[in-house]
Amino acid sequence: NEKVRAIGSRHSWSPIAQSSEIIISLEKLDGVKVEYDEQGAVATIGGGCQIKRLIAELAKLDLAMPALGL
């Protein structure tokens, strides 16, 4: 009857990521996969990917986010 909580890269200052129950870290799921279709580039981002890694990986391909709502 325990709750399971999935968390990202654990860089938040908020205690919301704390739990006395089961925590599954997505920290290592930080991949950035870029594919191209008829409309352009499509990126699939892992649940634990930090924005700075995403920006760096996209820059290697001369791509960028259309907007960063940070």
Side-chain angles (χ1 to χ4, degrees):
N1 291 334
E2 291 186 270
K3 294 180 183 176
V4 176
R5 179 181 298 238
I7 59 172
S9 60
R10 298 182 301 179
H11 67 278
S12 176
W13 51 265
S14 171
I16 196 166
Q18 297 175 356
S19 175
S20 61
E21 299 184 271
I22 298 171
I23 295 177
I24 297 175
S25 173
L26 304 179
E27 184 174 17
K28 301 292 183 185
L29 298 175
D30 65 348
V32 177
K33 178 181 175 185
V34 177
E35 298 175 304
Y36 295 88
D37 64 16
E38 62 278 351
Q39 294 179 346
V42 176
T44 303
I45 316 304
C49 185
Q50 292 184 347
I51 295 292
K52 64 182 177 182
R53 174 169 162 68
L54 172 59
I55 292 169
E57 292 298 316
L58 292 178
K60 289 178 187 176
L61 300 171
D62 205 26
L63 297 171
M65 300 278 291
L68 291 175
L70 300 175

